[in-house]
Amino acid sequence: MTQIKIDKYWMKKAIKLALKAKNLGEIPVGAILIKNNQLISTGLNRSIIDHNPIAHAEMLVLQQAGKILKNYRLTNTTLYVTLEPCIMCMSAIIHSRINRLVYGTKNNKTNFYNSLIKFKKYINIENCNINIVSGVLEKDCTLILKTFFKTLRKKNIKNIK
């Protein structure tokens, strides 16, 4: 199986988690951590329902994986996430020493690439050798988010009236 087929396979699993988050009323983001093509941990956004600003899908995946692997260093792993990580999540990803990050759609609000460039400029990050792949099932990941926010805006307009 080619790497792109593998990436699509796991991203589809992350998309299912994003849809689950959407059904819970959360911002629809799903994440999965893989090691040796085996599922290690999964997560979906829970900030709203848990009243927790750091309960992003990526953060929950990293916490769970650390416990499962009994190590905060998550070397030789790949993180699949439906939305480009925010700067908080990227900090944790860097600290956990994940080797590969695959995400579906860009986060125009936080723009990870600019954040990473700023990180590298102002902070000496020796362990920041993450192979990054973007745009895997991008249309699917984008559609979930756009649909969610469109529905949310309609609800907010109805509540104002």
Side-chain angles (χ1 to χ4, degrees), residues 67-131:
K67 290 176 184 175
I68 290 167
L69 297 175
K70 298 186 183 342
N71 196 337
Y72 79 92
R73 291 183 174 148
L74 306 174
T75 58
N76 302 313
T77 60
T78 299
L79 177 65
Y80 291 88
V81 61
T82 56
L83 179 64
E84 177 181 20
C86 70
I87 197 164
M88 173 187 68
C89 292
M90 200 57 219
S91 297
I93 291 165
I94 290 167
H95 187 65
S96 68
R97 295 178 176 83
I98 287 172
N99 296 77
R100 194 162 175 266
L101 168 65
V102 180
Y103 67 86
T105 190
K106 289 183 180 181
N107 186 343
N108 295 323
K109 191 174 180 182
T110 60
N111 196 299
F112 153 73
Y113 282 116
N114 286 336
S115 300
L116 186 60
I117 290 166
K118 288 176 187 173
F119 263 10
K120 286 186 172 186
K121 184 176 180 181
Y122 297 110
I123 302 169
N124 182 18
I125 303 175
E126 295 176 17
N127 298 314
C128 189
N129 296 317
I130 302 171
N131 177 14

Side-chain angles (χ1 to χ4, degrees), residues 43-61:
L44 52 98
N45 271 7
R46 296 187 55 90
S47 294
I48 296 167
I49 58 177
D50 288 352
H51 311 287
N52 183 347
I54 64 169
H56 290 196
E58 303 94 308
M59 299 296 277
L60 298 174
V61 162

